[in-house]
Amino acid sequence: MCLIFFAHQVLPDYPLILAANRDEFHARPTAPADIWRDYPHIIAGRDLEQGGTWLGISLRNKWAALTNYRDPQRNAQDKQSRGLLLKDYLTTEISAQDFITAI
């Protein structure tokens, strides 16, 4: 099960704590959270197979996260990773509302 954890104003030195796990497809290669070389304004973990992420922040005042919904009968190998949605959002200047409308 994927989880996203928020702690808001719990610790005085850290007004927001945000964490997430990635627990599916353990054999799929990933990189830990770091600055992306091709997009230096993004800090995120990275799916090394398709290039997306499950949690990321942008130094342009954006963040994005997702969890999984898994129905093994609907898994298709030819589909793009949903982590590319986060990459696409974080790498653009578009607002969250405009991005959602566009997709």
Side-chain angles (χ1 to χ4, degrees), residues 57-72:
I57 63 170
S58 166
L59 300 178
R60 297 176 180 161
N61 295 320
K62 297 167 104 174
W63 69 274
L66 60 78
T67 61
N68 65 335
Y69 171 79
R70 199 174 341 178
D71 180 352

Side-chain angles (χ1 to χ4, degrees), residues 7-17:
H8 185 250
Q9 297 182 343
V10 175
L11 299 172
D13 291 338
Y14 305 99
L16 177 65
I17 299 170

Side-chain angles (χ1 to χ4, degrees), residues 49-102:
E49 187 174 292
Q50 293 207 21
T53 188
W54 54 97
L55 171 67
I57 63 170
S58 166
L59 300 178
R60 297 176 180 161
N61 295 320
K62 297 167 104 174
W63 69 274
L66 60 78
T67 61
N68 65 335
Y69 171 79
R70 199 174 341 178
D71 180 352
Q73 294 177 346
R74 297 185 68 187
N75 285 352
Q77 299 301 318
D78 61 339
K79 301 281 183 178
Q80 285 188 322
S81 167
R82 67 189 181 278
L84 293 174
L85 287 170
L86 275 62
K87 175 189 175 232
D88 291 347
Y89 170 64
L90 292 170
T91 58
T92 66
E93 297 293 331
I94 194 169
S95 71
Q97 184 63 49
D98 289 344
F99 184 81
I100 290 169
T101 300

Side-chain angles (χ1 to χ4, degrees), residues 22 28-32 36 45-54 81:
R22 178 193 167 274
R28 192 168 177 163
T30 59
W36 287 10
R46 200 162 205 182
D47 170 356
L48 297 177
E49 187 174 292
Q50 293 207 21
T53 188
W54 54 97
S81 167

